[in-house]
Each structure stands twice: as structure tokens, then as C-alpha cells.
Amino acid sequence: LNAVAPILTMFFLMCYTCVNLSCVLLHLLKDPNWRPTFRFTHWTLSAAGAALCVFIMFAISWYYAIIAMSFCSLIYVYAGMNSTGDWGDGLQSLKFNISKGMLYRMSQATHVKNFRLNL
């Protein structure tokens, strides 16, 4: 029983870490579907929770922490490669927000050297 407890603890902490990181990502990307019902939520609390979970994992056992993180990464890669539905992606939302920010920062005045005919 003592041999199984650290492994289970690592996977529960990885679960909490992934939930906290997804909350941070959804909040920072201003996803329209992200509407938490708890009014006093802030993304820094989720980021601190994720960092604390990782710290506790390495404080318990660095060996099991690395095994749990690599196993979680393998599951993420496997699920990403074998997904059948179009569920959307956080990285796709990140690319959209970066491109939207770049378009907002573009100057409206064009220089003579950069003129392009708009049809």
C-alpha cells in the first residue's frame, strides 16, 4: 500500500495541475465559452495552484513526479493524434489571439514603399 500511494498522489496532483493550467489558458485567451460561476476567480490563483501542485510533486518524490509528467505527456500526445471530433484547441485559440493582436497593431497609414492594391 505504501508503494502505490506516491504514484496515486502524483496522478491526482497532475490532474489538479492540468485543470488549473486550463483555467489559466482559458482566462488569458478570453475564450467566450469560459464563464466560471464562482465570482471571485482570478487567473493568478489558478497559476499559483498549478505551480504549487508541481512543487508538491517534486517535494514528495522527484522520481515519481518525472514518471507522472512523462505519462501525462504521452496521453496528451496520443489523444491529440487520435482525436476523431473537432473539439477545438487551446493552441488554436492562442494563434487566433496572436494574429488578432497583430492585426490591431497594424498601422492604418501605408507608406509608399509598402503600398498594395486592395481589390
Side-chain angles (χ1 to χ4, degrees):
L1 188 62
N2 286 338
V4 177
I7 298 170
L8 289 176
T9 303
M10 294 301 158
F11 285 111
F12 277 112
L13 286 171
M14 280 301 300
C15 179
Y16 297 142
T17 303
C18 290
V19 168
N20 282 325
L21 288 178
S22 66
C23 290
V24 169
L25 185 67
L26 288 171
H27 181 80
L28 291 179
L29 293 177
K30 296 175 180 58
D31 194 352
N33 292 329
W34 175 243
R35 297 183 295 266
T37 56
F38 184 63
R39 293 185 320 153
F40 305 111
T41 184
H42 198 262
W43 69 271
T44 56
L45 291 174
S46 297
L52 190 61
C53 285
V54 171
F55 173 75
I56 290 172
M57 285 174 61
F58 280 99
I60 292 173
S61 172
W62 66 270
Y63 179 72
Y64 287 133
I66 291 174
I67 290 173
M69 286 184 167
S70 61
F71 187 72
C72 184
S73 299
L74 287 173
I75 289 175
Y76 180 76
V77 169
Y78 178 76
M81 292 173 64
N82 296 327
S83 65
T84 57
D86 187 19
W87 291 89
D89 191 5
L91 295 177
Q92 183 181 12
S93 178
L94 178 66
K95 291 175 191 173
F96 174 75
N97 275 343
I98 289 172
S99 62
K100 184 177 74 169
M102 293 293 216
L103 287 174
Y104 282 146
R105 279 185 249 136
M106 282 182 64
S107 175
Q108 295 297 332
T110 58
H111 193 270
V112 176
K113 293 180 185 177
N114 298 331
F115 175 74
R116 297 249 193 302
L117 182 61
N118 294 323
L119 296 177

